[in-house]
Amino acid sequence: MTYRIRKCRWQFGAAITLPTPWGPTVYVKQRLPLDSALYKHEAVHVKQIEEWGTWSYLWRHVWARLRTLRIHPWQFDMYVKDDPVEAPAYAAQGT
């Protein structure tokens, strides 16, 4: 499992994992340490990118967010813990 970790300040939440031409990249908020729980969570997303491929990974994330809008039309929740993409990551994180 090869990936990059970059510190930045523009992403939502503590971290985000995106497929890039150089392989999966984890963007971590500049002020936050990459602790073991966050590392485990993002490592699951890296594995998902490797198993599903870039487009499938992105599509599953977008679809999960659109489903959230349908269920809760006035709330757009980026952190849905029970969708098929995030549930394994939160389970690995221990939350």
Side-chain angles (χ1 to χ4, degrees):
M1 179 174 3
T2 303
Y3 59 95
R4 296 169 173 256
I5 298 174
R6 297 282 183 244
K7 295 262 187 173
C8 63
R9 53 184 126 157
W10 54 263
Q11 83 278 0
F12 294 106
I16 185 170
T17 302
L18 296 172
T20 67
W22 308 275
T25 303
V26 179
Y27 295 94
V28 180
K29 256 193 190 160
Q30 214 164 20
R31 298 181 197 152
L32 292 176
L34 189 60
D35 65 6
S36 64
L38 185 58
Y39 172 80
K40 289 175 185 176
H41 180 105
E42 298 306 323
V44 169
H45 292 312
V46 169
K47 186 176 178 188
Q48 289 171 338
I49 291 169
E50 290 176 344
E51 288 179 0
W52 300 342
T54 297
W55 296 113
S56 180
Y57 175 79
L58 292 172
W59 173 247
R60 290 176 192 208
H61 261 292
V62 168
W63 181 247
R65 299 308 168 260
L66 291 174
R67 245 187 31 199
T68 301
L69 280 174
R70 192 173 41 153
I71 296 168
H72 307 287
W74 304 112
Q75 291 181 325
F76 180 70
D77 191 357
M78 287 293 294
Y79 313 106
V80 179
K81 292 185 177 185
D82 62 348
D83 75 53
V85 177
E86 290 292 338
Y90 280 108
Q93 183 178 351
T95 58

